[in-house]
Amino acid sequence: MTQDELKKAVGFAALKFVKPKTIVGVGTGSTAAHFIDALATIKNDIIGAVSSSEASTKKLMEYGIRVFDCNDVDSLDIYVDGADEINHQMQMIKGGGAALTREKIIAAISKKFVCIVDESKVVETLGNFPLPIEVIPMARSYVAREIFKLGAKPIYRDGVVTDNGNVILDIHDFMIPNAIEMEHKINNIAGVVTVGLFANRGANIALIGTKSGVKEIA
Ligand code: 5RP
């Protein structure tokens, strides 16, 4: 199976967590896009979705799925999204698609985070994938200097402006054995909007696409 077929398998497997007559939290990226395709097959059974990006909103609306403003929803039963890396503690690096801030907000209002990944995303220690941080544009250089002090290498994601009008720094050469502590530390740098570490609020369920089928970890 190709990587995309594994992503499709977990995207469709996540449907079993969607309860009828609920509003579903929807992530961003190629795996989440498969989940949207799956969601479209039961669109008449759900009330709608809260979306983590303009790209996912567009796809949901093309299917005729109603997209709610996050401010109009108190809580969500589930949030389904991909990840760039996930470790065995269900902590993740996210933000490869630059949607990390909205993703973190939706994760925060969701009772369950269902992470859908192909097996290449499962790691012992987070950090091989460069850690994205969303930064207020005027703070870009300051935040980069602070990241250097942590012994890592921040690289500006040239040409990318987030849905919130900010920029992305990707932190390279940075293995993260202490993800909760590092999430707090980076969040505390002035000018950081969101760090793409989802450790404090990790996943509740992981669906991992493997060549021998979809594995579920809870
Ligand atoms: C977007 C994300 C995505 O979930 C992450 O980048 C994984 O993407 P894909 O499913 O395309 O591999 O965090 O900001």
Side-chain angles (χ1 to χ4, degrees), residues 179-189 195 197 200:
I180 292 182
E181 186 191 323
M182 199 46 72
E183 184 176 356
H184 285 302
K185 202 170 198 167
I186 296 175
N187 266 335
N188 277 338
I189 301 172
V195 55
L197 271 174
N200 201 31

Side-chain angles (χ1 to χ4, degrees), residues 11-12 31 50 57 59 76 81 84 96-97 107 116 151-152 160 165-166 170 187:
F12 277 75
T31 319
V50 172
T57 297
K59 190 169 168 75
L76 295 167
D81 197 1
D84 298 301
I116 49 175
V160 171
N166 298 313
D170 292 304
N187 266 335

